[in-house]
Amino acid sequence: MGYDSIVCVKQVPDTSNITGEAMKADGTVNRAALPAVFNPDDLHALEAALQVRDRFGGSVTVLTMGPPAACEVLRECLYRGADRVIILSDRRAAASDTLATSYILSQAVRKLARYDLVFCGRQAIDGDTAQVGPQLAEKLGISQVTYYEQLVDLSGRTIRVRRNVGNGWEIVEGRLPMLLTVLDTANEARPAAAKRVMRYKRARAPMELGAELAKAMPDAAPGQKEAEQARRLEPLKAKGLCIEQWDLDDIDADLQWCGVTGSPTKVHRVQSIVLTKEGFTAIAPTEEGIRGMIRDLIVDHTLG
Amino acid sequence: MANFFTDNDDIQFLFNHLDLAEIAAAQEDDFTQPEGRDYAPVDAADAIDNYKRILSIIGDVAANLIAPRAEQIDHEGNTLNEDGTVTLNPLVRRNLDDLAKADLMGFTLPRKFGGLNCPSLIYTMATEIVSRADTSLMNLFGLQGIAETINAFADDPIRNEYLPRFSTGELTGAMVLTEPDAGSDLQAVGMRAWQDDDGQWRLTGVKRFITNGCGEILLTLARSEPEIKDGRGLSLFLAERSPRIRVRHLEEKLGIHGSPTCELVYDDAPAKLIGERQRGLVPYVMSLMNGARVGIAAQSLGVAEAAFRVARRYAYTRKQFGVSIERLPAVAEMVTEMKIHIEAARTLTYETSRVCDLEYNNLRVLELNPPKDAAVLKKRKDRSRALKRLNGMLTPMSKYYSSEMCVKVASDAIQVLGGSGYMKDYPSERYLRDARITTIYEGTSQLQIVAAVRGVCSGAFEKRIDELEQANYTDELLGTLKAKLIEARQLVFKAIVFVKEKGVEYTDLQGRRLVDSAIAILVGHLFLSQAMKNDHKKAITRHFIETRLPEIHANVERILSGDRSALDEYAMLAGPLPTV
Ligand SMILES: Cc1cc2nc3c(=O)[nH]c(=O)nc-3n(C[C@H](O)[C@H](O)[C@H](O)COP(=O)(O)OP(=O)(O)OC[C@H]3O[C@@H](n4cnc5c(N)ncnc54)[C@H](O)[C@@H]3O)c2cc1C
């Protein structure tokens, strides 16, 4: 028995350690200047799925859409216990907004076919929209519970969860399959397991091997690189160390809903706010001191 | 994300500076271990990459899971139940579960028992990292020496039965040596080991101050030969937790509240003999304690690092007299001394671990795969003896130096914070309470000195310094510093000759000064070998050597004075015996 879960994760620029070069002149994120990390909420989504599997049996499949480098978060998932990982990578998917992304993910989930639960992090720290999870549920036509914090009960096809409603919580019951967006307060994400790390650090997607070979064999004759890639892939496959790789054709995606054409979002305006102050300001514990502080906060738009 | 491995520049430095490839090759039998364990490394680079990844995991677990729980654990401690069992604090339990989930509880065990097969040097780094997050948890994490001892000395059925379960974290152990009348003097252990009519060994008696005495596997030292009164009458036993072993008392302690310290009553408890009879204390327990001593040195490093970090930040942010207090000379000196001593102790401890690894793996080859060629065999054996002697000096030196260092650092850290440091609002007071134990258990500082003095006076020190003096430094400053160390060494040798003439009692009286001087010279050389790598290390090296030299002079002067008044005029100096 058991429950099969799909977890959607994303590799994001680490916006928690912003440096001077983090933003380009036009106000968009300079991804090159920021280290890429596992989107924090998604770690909790993965943990929630692993807990369901550890308790009830079943499987955890992780899906990520991104460039080849995003395989790193998939390896992280393997280190923590995921059973199967898939990278969705396609140049035609570049510049997808939340609508296009959720469409692509929904096609991938459909291809997986067998699933009881879909877990997403509440939101990604690069866009902070919290839209992809809910949109994905809509596209799949399944019910969703956002701001998941705790599994209260799961038996048969009925699930009961506690969700955070900001100033309290509510317990919601629904039928499987269901999509859940997970808060970072839902659990403590488990650490990577050392033995799995040593085993799966060698896991590679074919396109990663391709990129490595392109660097290592710049002057290869036509077909030579492909042959070498196939040769290296064989032992990886035999040991279960080949990361599955899908493109838009594999998931029967309609290209008009993908990438730039599938993305109606237009950025209206981006404001570049540079915090230059360092250290702290001493404020006298007097009426006058506090009044001065509030005045300063209003002037710099922190308040009001 | 916070990480206590990657955020520590000095550990990072030593990880890159030390010859890990040599250690890895020895540990992995030159990477000839049979395939099949799919996580075995294929070459040195692969092994080192694994070490780095393992330490990153422990750095993550320490910073993000363990450290946030430490304060509450310190407040609450563990609980003794009426039935003589102990319930660990739920947060201690979770710490252990997290470490087990991350595969970190079989750190040094061979892969065939589910372990990671890490060298002790990497384990030492890991231990330090855990201790920085929660010093008391190190006592449980650090008890992996129990499994190592079983692996080293027990027979196959016992190893197969227990070791895989240690690796998964299902079992934890305790080293059960101390009794009310046998503390520093373990030869006096009196717990009775006897065989019943079925030949089953049974243990009867009381043990006290046993860390994790509530654990599942109790490695117990007991007297199997009642007619032999000294250490040769002792054997080592494995007793499983059972209703015949009761925790009578859970100690209330100054610090390390997360670590349960138990008084145990054995009521004819069944036990299994480890290895051979009469070899319990020497060599089994001695070997266990040697590893454990390096562990305490690492524990000391961790708590010192934690204390230093709070003090360093506070000295930067706190303003008095219109400036950051770190600008005040007295505070600046405290902060820099803390840092220098932490790095000195780390260098010494890691060097000790490195030598442990060489010794252990050399022995392993001699036992499992002795070279056929007589000349090669002899060379290995000679090396084995030399490493053993060197280790016999380095291990007590590290334990002594690091533990005394961390007590001083933790105390000075409070001083830097002033009144705030004395309050519970900052973790500094906990660090001092936790640090204080390190100079006591696994052999007090006084006993470490007794052991280290032997090495200092018997040639091990001389031999090692001879080797270290071979290094050449083109850098002018380093050349000058090296010359000064050579000069200081001559002084120390004068003192060694002097105490040898004066006899054992005088040697013990001057032991601390001798060992301090020897450590200063040894660490001075180790620092010199690091100083070329970056400016920080060069500055540390210069400062360390320049400030230790006058201390060596003072020590030697004291030693050569021949003054033994603490002994000869004890009653006069100590005054009358107080009535209460
Ligand atoms: C928190 C805690 C946890 C412990 N955990 C364990 C454990 O897990 N397993 C275990 O078996 N034991 C454990 N112990 C016991 C510990 O190892 C002993 O307390 C320690 O070895 C000292 O013994 P003692 O307390 O009897 O002191 P004593 O031996 O009575 O020493 C008293 C003083 O005399 C000095 N002294 C004694 N002999 C000499 C000498 N030859 N030369 C110079 N000075 C000397 C000592 O340095 C000390 O200053 C633990 C103790 C504590 C406090």
Side-chain angles (χ1 to χ4, degrees):
Chain A
M1 183 40 230
Y3 297 94
D4 294 317
S5 297
I6 296 170
V7 187
C8 300
V9 306
K10 185 179 185 189
Q11 188 182 45
V12 291
D14 186 1
T15 51
S16 64
N17 287 310
I18 296 288
T19 56
E21 307 93 65
M23 205 185 273
K24 293 191 223 162
D26 65 356
T28 56
V29 178
N30 179 9
R31 284 171 198 269
L34 292 172
V37 296
F38 203 118
N39 181 49
D41 282 351
D42 299 353
L43 269 177
H44 298 282
L46 174 66
E47 178 62 31
L50 291 171
Q51 285 181 8
V52 168
R53 183 198 64 190
D54 293 350
R55 229 173 106 189
F56 302 95
S59 69
V60 174
T61 300
V62 182
L63 208 54
T64 192
M65 178 175 122
C71 288
E72 193 51 40
V73 294
L74 292 182
R75 278 186 286 275
E76 287 282 336
C77 293
L78 290 168
Y79 300 161
R80 287 173 166 77
D83 300 296
R84 178 181 177 191
V85 298
I86 301 162
I87 178 143
L88 267 168
S89 200
D90 197 313
R91 282 181 198 288
R92 296 167 295 180
S96 291
D97 67 2
T98 61
L99 196 68
T101 301
S102 57
Y103 169 71
I104 297 168
L105 288 175
S106 71
Q107 287 300 105
V109 172
R110 279 208 178 86
K111 174 163 169 159
L112 284 167
R114 249 184 65 91
Y115 66 93
D116 302 301
L117 290 160
V118 180
F119 291 90
C120 297
R122 177 196 46 172
Q123 64 191 45
I125 54 173
D126 54 350
D128 283 329
T129 68
Q131 290 169 354
V132 170
Q135 288 179 2
L136 174 57
E138 286 304 306
K139 295 215 156 58
L140 291 170
I142 63 176
S143 44
Q144 59 174 296
V145 173
T146 54
Y147 293 14
Y148 165 94
E149 228 170 27
Q150 195 187 56
L151 180 66
V152 178
D153 194 32
L154 177 58
S155 63
R157 303 303 293 167
T158 306
I159 185 170
R160 196 179 293 170
V161 302
R162 195 180 85 188
R163 65 186 295 264
N164 187 313
V165 289
N167 52 358
W169 48 263
E170 64 185 5
I171 288 181
V172 186
E173 189 178 284
R175 304 277 300 160
L176 299 183
M178 182 183 275
L179 182 141
L180 302 159
T181 78
V182 181
L183 291 178
D184 61 356
T185 46
N187 50 46
E188 246 168 15
R190 73 188 59 190
K195 281 187 248 174
R196 294 184 67 96
V197 169
M198 290 188 269
R199 186 176 302 134
Y200 288 114
K201 70 178 189 176
R202 299 184 219 283
R204 290 287 178 279
M207 62 184 176
E208 283 185 290
L209 284 182
E212 281 167 24
L213 288 173
K215 246 194 225 146
M217 313 167 60
D219 315 314
Q224 206 180 343
K225 267 189 292 217
E226 289 70 14
E228 176 62 17
Q229 178 171 333
R231 195 185 66 78
R232 292 196 190 182
L233 218 47
E234 238 10 85
L236 289 183
K237 276 188 180 147
K239 291 184 194 159
L241 295 176
C242 180
I243 294 177
E244 281 176 77
Q245 168 187 329
W246 293 352
D247 63 16
L248 292 180
D249 302 327
D250 293 321
I251 55 173
D252 292 328
D254 184 339
L255 292 182
Q256 70 163 315
W257 301 114
C258 303
V260 184
T261 49
S263 299
T265 307
K266 295 282 171 290
V267 176
H268 165 58
R269 186 166 68 97
V270 179
Q271 220 179 333
S272 168
I273 299 171
V274 181
L275 302 175
T276 49
K277 196 163 169 73
E278 278 195 18
F280 58 88
T281 306
I283 290 162
T286 59
E287 275 295 316
E288 192 39 48
I290 291 172
R291 204 167 294 128
M293 176 184 78
I294 290 176
R295 208 178 313 119
D296 290 347
L297 290 178
I298 291 172
V299 168
D300 72 11
H301 298 297
T302 307
L303 290 183
Chain B
M1 270 226 286
N3 188 303
F4 285 179
F5 171 58
T6 55
D7 79 353
N8 190 318
D9 291 345
D10 197 41
I11 298 183
Q12 294 290 318
F13 174 84
L14 290 172
F15 187 93
N16 293 317
H17 173 75
L18 294 167
D19 188 355
L20 292 182
E22 182 190 22
I23 300 285
Q27 183 77 16
E28 299 291 344
D29 297 329
D30 289 319
F31 309 101
T32 55
Q33 291 212 351
E35 264 285 322
R37 311 274 162 197
D38 55 357
Y39 59 94
V42 296
D43 57 26
D46 193 19
I48 293 171
D49 178 62
N50 283 347
Y51 299 157
K52 195 176 242 170
R53 288 169 184 270
I54 292 168
L55 290 170
S56 298
I57 296 173
I58 208 149
D60 170 30
V61 175
N64 302 304
L65 299 174
I66 297 171
R69 300 169 186 157
E71 186 180 346
Q72 194 182 336
I73 290 173
D74 176 57
H75 280 236
E76 297 174 353
N78 302 296
T79 315
L80 176 64
N81 305 312
E82 296 223 334
D83 64 352
T85 60
V86 170
T87 304
L88 289 183
N89 188 301
L91 293 181
V92 175
R93 200 53 282 153
R94 267 164 72 188
N95 283 336
L96 289 173
D97 288 347
D98 285 334
L99 288 168
K101 264 192 234 155
D103 294 336
L104 300 171
M105 292 307 279
F107 217 91
T108 54
L109 283 181
R111 286 185 196 87
K112 66 175 168 189
F113 298 123
L116 301 180
N117 198 40
C118 275
S120 96
L121 175 58
I122 304 303
Y123 183 46
T124 297
M125 295 178 179
T127 306
E128 169 181 351
I129 290 168
V130 169
S131 170
R132 176 178 152 198
D134 180 346
T135 311
S136 72
L137 183 65
M138 174 277 159
N139 290 98
L140 304 179
F141 179 72
L143 276 169
Q144 299 192 33
I146 302 296
E148 278 173 36
T149 306
I150 294 174
N151 185 39
F153 303 116
D155 52 22
D156 275 337
I158 294 185
R159 294 158 80 195
N160 292 330
E161 179 176 357
Y162 296 103
L163 294 181
R165 292 156 72 201
F166 272 103
S167 290
T168 58
E170 177 196 340
L171 299 180
T172 63
M175 60 195 266
V176 190
L177 317 174
T178 304
E179 297 175 5
D181 292 324
S184 297
D185 180 13
L186 287 176
Q187 305 219 26
V189 158
M191 172 170 281
R192 211 155 67 81
W194 52 282
Q195 280 174 296
D196 64 18
D197 296 343
D198 303 329
Q200 167 73 53
W201 282 100
R202 293 192 177 268
L203 305 178
T204 312
V206 175
K207 294 280 183 180
R208 73 163 181 180
F209 298 169
I210 305 305
T211 301
N212 201 38
C214 49
E216 292 78 17
I217 302 298
L218 308 173
L219 270 196
T220 310
L221 186 65
R223 191 162 299 279
S224 54
E225 330 293 320
E227 69 288 356
I228 304 178
K229 295 295 169 218
D230 63 10
R232 282 164 302 180
L234 300 173
S235 303
L236 189 62
F237 296 90
L238 184 157
E240 282 192 53
R241 248 220 94 54
S242 79
R244 290 193 165 277
I245 303 175
R246 218 162 42 84
V247 180
R248 182 161 73 186
H249 181 62
L250 197 58
E251 302 291 343
E252 289 197 25
K253 309 192 292 290
L254 177 66
I256 53 167
H257 291 162
S259 167
T261 311
C262 305
E263 183 168 301
L264 298 174
V265 182
Y266 285 60
D267 176 18
D268 302 340
K272 294 174 179 158
L273 178 70
I274 298 281
E276 294 168 36
R277 277 168 85 150
Q278 294 191 266
R279 288 166 63 85
L281 185 58
V282 185
Y284 305 157
V285 163
M286 280 304 139
S287 152
L288 172 61
M289 297 250 288
N290 272 335
R293 283 172 178 168
V294 180
I296 303 305
Q299 179 179 39
S300 306
L301 289 170
V303 67
E305 178 73 33
F308 168 74
R309 282 174 179 258
V310 174
R312 173 82 172 86
R313 283 207 69 79
Y314 192 88
Y316 168 75
T317 45
R318 172 72 175 168
K319 294 216 165 39
Q320 285 291 281
F321 302 102
V323 294
S324 275
I325 57 169
E326 66 180 9
R327 307 285 293 278
L328 306 170
V331 177
E333 180 162 60
M334 270 194 283
V335 172
T336 50
E337 284 290 303
M338 287 161 96
K339 178 74 168 150
I340 289 161
H341 282 286
I342 290 173
E343 292 197 10
R346 190 175 280 126
T347 284
L348 181 62
T349 302
Y350 287 12
E351 170 70 4
T352 304
S353 282
R354 193 182 71 82
V355 175
C356 285
D357 281 319
L358 296 178
E359 185 199 346
Y360 166 75
N361 284 308
N362 199 49
L363 262 184
R364 213 164 42 86
V365 171
L366 279 174
E367 262 172 37
L368 301 179
N369 249 333
K372 306 271 177 303
D373 184 302
V376 180
L377 181 69
K378 178 167 180 324
K379 219 172 131 201
R380 276 235 180 234
K381 282 192 168 160
D382 289 348
R383 182 161 159 76
S384 194
R385 250 190 307 277
L387 287 168
K388 189 171 156 85
R389 290 184 62 197
L390 178 57
N391 220 345
M393 175 182 76
L394 288 179
T395 295
M397 274 183 171
S398 299
K399 198 294 185 167
Y400 159 65
Y401 186 71
S402 300
S403 61
E404 295 288 338
M405 176 281 293
C406 82
V407 174
K408 171 98 169 83
V409 164
S411 176
D412 282 354
I414 291 184
Q415 198 66 21
V416 168
L417 270 71
S420 298
Y422 195 70
M423 305 301 164
K424 297 257 178 193
D425 305 338
Y426 284 86
S428 308
E429 60 85 30
R430 163 160 57 90
Y431 295 147
L432 179 60
R433 287 186 289 107
D434 285 351
R436 193 60 193 82
I437 182 60
T438 59
T439 67
I440 297 170
Y441 57 16
E442 297 306 345
T444 62
S445 286
Q446 290 68 32
L447 267 112
Q448 304 307 316
I449 289 170
V450 170
V453 158
R454 233 180 291 150
V456 171
C457 292
S458 70
F461 176 62
E462 196 168 359
K463 184 151 179 283
R464 184 67 183 127
I465 297 296
D466 279 344
E467 286 165 11
L468 289 167
E469 283 180 0
Q470 298 304 310
N472 275 320
Y473 301 101
T474 45
D475 183 281
E476 198 183 319
L477 171 67
L478 301 186
T480 316
L481 290 172
K482 184 188 146 187
K484 288 184 180 178
L485 285 180
I486 294 177
E487 228 173 276
R489 173 213 176 146
Q490 306 305 336
L491 270 181
V492 173
F493 277 96
K494 235 162 86 187
I496 292 173
V497 172
F498 186 82
V499 296
K500 275 186 175 165
E501 273 171 19
K502 288 274 182 183
V504 175
E505 204 178 31
Y506 189 71
T507 307
D508 280 348
L509 183 62
Q510 299 296 350
R512 188 167 59 78
R513 281 175 277 276
L514 269 180
V515 171
D516 282 346
S517 306
I519 290 174
I521 292 173
L522 194 61
V523 173
H525 280 291
L526 295 174
F527 268 159
L528 278 175
S529 74
Q530 303 167 4
M532 296 304 291
K533 300 269 176 80
N534 66 48
D535 289 346
H536 167 74
K537 279 292 176 189
K538 196 164 175 180
I540 291 262
T541 303
R542 192 195 61 73
H543 184 98
F544 181 84
I545 294 177
E546 297 282 14
T547 52
R548 267 1 88 170
L549 288 172
E551 290 179 5
I552 295 177
H553 278 271
N555 283 337
V556 171
E557 199 173 317
R558 282 280 300 272
I559 295 168
L560 295 181
S561 75
D563 176 55
R564 18 177 309 134
S565 48
L567 300 172
D568 297 342
E569 298 172 42
Y570 181 77
M572 183 64 70
L573 292 169
L577 194 63
T579 44
V580 275

